């Protein structure tokens, strides 16, 4: 059985833009509390070479981090970074 993942427009644009760059811009989603209704939620934008480096950077620079935080890194898309078509 082959498992596939749905890729949305902004995410596909991000993967195609960042694939050949050494330094990438990641959005690190931080959440704490129950999985369905987190009590704390934030997104931190960092420049890093890998998702693991992005999470480590977000952990170091997060000013307020409650206990038991979950971190998930993803590539930032153009619309998320505020780019508009020209």
């Amino acid at each position: 059985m082959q498992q596939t993942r749905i890729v949305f427009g902004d995410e596909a644009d991000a993967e195609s833009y960042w694939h050949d760059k050494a330094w990438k811009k990641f959005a690190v989603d931080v959440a704490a509390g129950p999985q369905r209704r987190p009590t704390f939620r934030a997104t931190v934008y960092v420049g890093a070479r890998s998702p693991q480096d992005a999470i480590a950077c977000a952990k170091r620079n997060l000013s307020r981090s409650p206990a038991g935080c979950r971190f998930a890194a993803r590539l930032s898309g153009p619309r998320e970074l505020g780019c508009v078509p020209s």
Side-chain angles (χ1 to χ4, degrees):
M1 183 170 146
Q2 181 112 18
Q3 189 176 20
T4 59
R5 191 170 75 92
I6 296 173
V7 178
F8 297 100
D10 202 35
E11 188 177 358
D13 291 343
E15 287 183 16
S16 67
Y17 178 76
W18 295 112
H19 82 279
D20 62 343
K21 311 279 190 291
W23 286 88
K24 300 165 178 57
K25 183 68 74 170
F26 287 93
V28 180
D29 297 319
V30 184
Q35 191 76 16
R36 292 197 185 265
R37 290 183 158 250
T39 55
F40 176 82
R41 196 181 279 178
T43 301
V44 180
Y45 297 96
V46 298
R49 291 179 188 246
S50 70
Q52 296 82 12
D53 292 342
I55 290 172
C57 181
K59 284 180 180 179
R60 280 193 311 268
N61 295 315
L62 195 63
S63 61
R64 186 179 146 230
S65 61
C69 282
R70 297 181 301 278
F71 295 86
R74 58 187 165 74
L75 288 172
S76 297
R79 284 174 281 294
E80 186 176 20
L81 294 174
C83 299
V84 293
S86 58

